[in-house]
Amino acid sequence: MKKRGNLGFVLVLGMALLLTACPAWSQNAHPQNLPQKAHSDADGLALTPPMGWYPWNIFGEEPQTEKLIKEIVDALVTSGLKDAGYAYVGPDEGICFSRGPDGKLTSNLTRYPSGLRGLGDYIHGKGLKYALYTDAGSKTCSTAMPGTKGYEFEDMRAFAEWRADYIKIDWCNSEGQDIVKTYTLLGEAQRAAGRPVVHSLCSWGEGYPWQWAGAIGHMWRTTSDICGPGKADWARAVRIAFANEKLSAFAGPGRWNDPDMMVVGMPGLSEVQNRSLFSLWCMMASPLIAGNDLRDMTRPTIDILTNLEAIAVDQDPLGAQGHVVWNDGNVSFWAGKPLFDGSRAVLVFYQGGHKFQQRIAWDEVGFGAADELYVRNLWTHETTGPHAGGVNVSVGSDDVAFLRISKKNEFPIPPILVADTYLVSLRAAGSRPEKLTGTVTVANKGSSDLPPWRVDPKSLPPWLSVAVTGSGKSQTFVNTVSTAGLKKGPYHVLVRADNVEPISGRPMSALYYDVDLEVVRNVRR
Ligand code: GLA
């Protein structure tokens, strides 16, 4: 497919509209003298884009309660989204805490009767990860909740006590604050709190976070909000995609451009538009944070959100963000997404009125002009080929051709990890020493077997040992507690496990789970 003209109308319109909200697009060169080392080098978190669900797009703040979040958590499991890799879930600006007279955050027990720790335990017990929300200024955007300003260390300790695994930090009510200094301080506070979390910066592109946020957190919003609560806006979502794609050079394992939570499955979009937006998010290696009501999804919405072949492009271990190679206003051609097995993802997005046909030539997508290649259609799940030199595609209005192209007639899915639980709770009632065990089983929904997970024994307290059993697609962490000599009281440890993806040889995002032990009486030696 050859370049057919200059940047088109849609792109120009999108740029013009976003320029007002976010005057950043001239500033997309890597800056000098700013820390560039991804923080994930140390914590091993978010080496592929985080996947999960957040309430804001569909609900706004008012209806968020423990009951609603638990219903969504249950729907996440039963709908199949959990098995497709969606893991981070929790309240967004859900009026879930306030600041007490002593300066400490306290759960809003009217809305969240189990408290925020209780909600976290419920989520961890389901094999999911706990996401919470706060703000870097004096108050959250609705002003209904306190921001972290002046309480950075205390608040991050509270989030750690509630056992959050992911914290989105908004930028409302931050007048007069230096954005880099503020988020740097919050990153330090998070690390000081001792619980590794995915740090999601939410300044809507303000302060050009792609230039510096990789050293502080794991993802950063690049644009203004994708919709107001309750209804998707197709044109706005497409504009956001075109703004976000320009920042592809800044993304990589542990550091992601975030074009906002998805609107797939929300009122206001057709099935074709849902499919296209999901493809764009996957092509851009965006965090896949669903924003629709998971309790009420059509079959096509579920099929789109759980399409493992599309998710494989998003979750690819190389972490490349695809980008627009050319755009004539109606047709945009996206490439620049090499995948871990040597294949490549390609996307053609058509916004014109009737069907569009074009040829994709292999030398345009990083292969040799005369290569004979196989083409996997990631939506029809059909493979054709080998095709010599290129392939013809035909795309309907608002639709995409989302393809994976390979020298081999096989299209492996990278690891997609799903746990039965992230919480082991054990109780020792007697004064005689005993051994207690609790297991965590982690399955890989991808297509390759994983080598055994590794837990560094030196990272464990003396009362706990962890053995990894099983092989192939499912492995179990057997946690054995020896209570001899333990004093009465609660014990806790966050266990970290690491693995290496066998095809690419790259480390996978570290896996963390909690082990709780309650010792009811002093135990003899
Ligand atoms: C900002 C964020 C949204 C959402 C709301 C909550 O607008 O960008 O994603 O968190 O705040 O008030």
Side-chain angles (χ1 to χ4, degrees), residues 173-514:
N173 304 303
S174 58
E175 290 72 21
Q177 290 176 235
D178 178 295
I179 190 166
V180 179
K181 283 193 185 136
T182 301
Y183 277 112
T184 302
L185 183 64
L186 283 162
E188 281 163 16
Q190 270 184 353
R191 291 189 261 292
R195 184 178 178 91
V197 292
V198 174
H199 181 159
S200 161
L201 291 84
C202 182
S203 73
W204 330 289
E206 201 174 313
Y208 322 128
W210 44 90
Q211 295 189 338
W212 45 267
I216 295 168
H218 306 85
M219 54 191 270
W220 48 86
R221 281 276 298 281
T222 56
T223 68
S224 51
D225 288 3
I226 196 166
C227 65
K231 194 158 189 291
D233 178 336
W234 166 249
R236 193 153 141 187
V238 169
R239 280 200 303 274
I240 279 179
F242 278 105
N244 188 72
E245 75 77 23
K246 287 182 185 48
L247 303 170
S248 61
F250 298 92
R255 43 193 304 148
W256 308 106
N257 290 310
D258 175 11
D260 206 355
M261 302 165 289
M262 295 187 288
V263 286
V264 173
M266 283 181 55
L269 296 178
S270 69
E271 184 183 333
V272 165
Q273 291 170 335
N274 280 327
R275 188 167 59 221
S276 294
L277 289 178
F278 193 69
S279 307
L280 288 164
W281 259 237
C282 291
M283 191 66 190
M284 293 190 293
S286 306
L288 296 181
I289 310 295
N292 57 319
D293 187 347
L294 303 185
R295 301 167 306 174
D296 180 21
M297 289 191 280
T298 63
R299 188 69 241 169
T301 294
I302 296 175
D303 291 345
I304 289 167
L305 287 171
T306 61
N307 178 357
L308 266 197
E309 295 206 55
I311 292 170
V313 173
D314 182 80
Q315 293 293 302
D316 185 82
L318 302 188
Q321 176 176 331
H323 55 84
V324 171
V325 177
W326 63 259
N327 180 343
D328 78 354
N330 277 338
V331 186
S332 54
F333 179 59
W334 300 59
K337 185 118 178 70
L339 304 176
F340 75 133
D341 64 329
S343 66
R344 285 166 182 271
V346 169
L347 184 134
V348 182
F349 176 37
Y350 181 51
Q351 294 170 272
H354 36 80
K355 236 186 175 75
F356 164 82
Q357 295 205 340
Q358 185 68 45
R359 185 164 177 80
I360 299 173
W362 294 155
D363 59 350
E364 285 182 293
V365 295
F367 289 105
D371 280 352
E372 303 214 339
L373 303 174
Y374 292 91
V375 175
R376 182 77 178 168
N377 184 317
L378 303 182
W379 288 112
T380 63
H381 308 297
E382 286 160 1
T383 304
T384 58
H387 298 274
V391 71
N392 297 324
V393 294
S394 139
V395 193
S397 182
D398 286 348
D399 208 346
V400 290
F402 193 20
L403 309 174
R404 192 164 157 187
I405 297 167
S406 179
K407 292 188 173 167
K408 288 173 276 181
N409 185 7
E410 55 193 58
F411 296 88
I413 308 282
I416 307 282
L417 301 177
V418 178
D420 65 337
T421 182
Y422 283 116
L423 178 60
V424 175
S425 290
L426 299 170
R427 188 166 185 269
S431 56
R432 286 207 188 134
E434 55 186 314
K435 281 199 193 291
L436 304 166
T437 58
T439 63
V440 171
T441 299
V442 177
N444 170 20
K445 305 286 176 181
S447 48
S448 59
D449 288 349
L450 293 178
W453 287 86
R454 288 191 191 286
V455 178
D456 179 0
K458 292 198 289 295
S459 68
L460 300 175
W463 48 270
L464 178 68
S465 64
V466 178
V468 182
T469 64
S471 61
K473 296 234 169 38
S474 174
Q475 296 182 40
T476 297
F477 298 79
V478 181
N479 300 275
T480 305
V481 162
S482 305
T483 63
L486 290 184
K487 296 255 175 307
K488 176 180 169 187
Y491 294 76
H492 168 253
V493 64
L494 185 70
V495 177
R496 172 178 177 160
D498 289 280
N499 205 323
V500 164
E501 199 293 310
I503 298 182
S504 65
R506 290 179 172 253
M508 299 211 313
S509 290
L511 187 113
Y512 292 89
Y513 63 88
D514 291 282

Side-chain angles (χ1 to χ4, degrees), residues 56-57 61 92-93 133 140-142 168 170 172 202 204 221 223-225 260-261:
W56 179 257
N57 285 359
E61 75 217 23
D92 189 303
E93 169 139 24
Y133 163 94
T140 55
C141 296
S142 73
K168 170 175 168 183
D170 224 330
C172 282
C202 182
W204 330 289
R221 281 276 298 281
T223 68
S224 51
D225 288 3
D260 206 355
M261 302 165 289

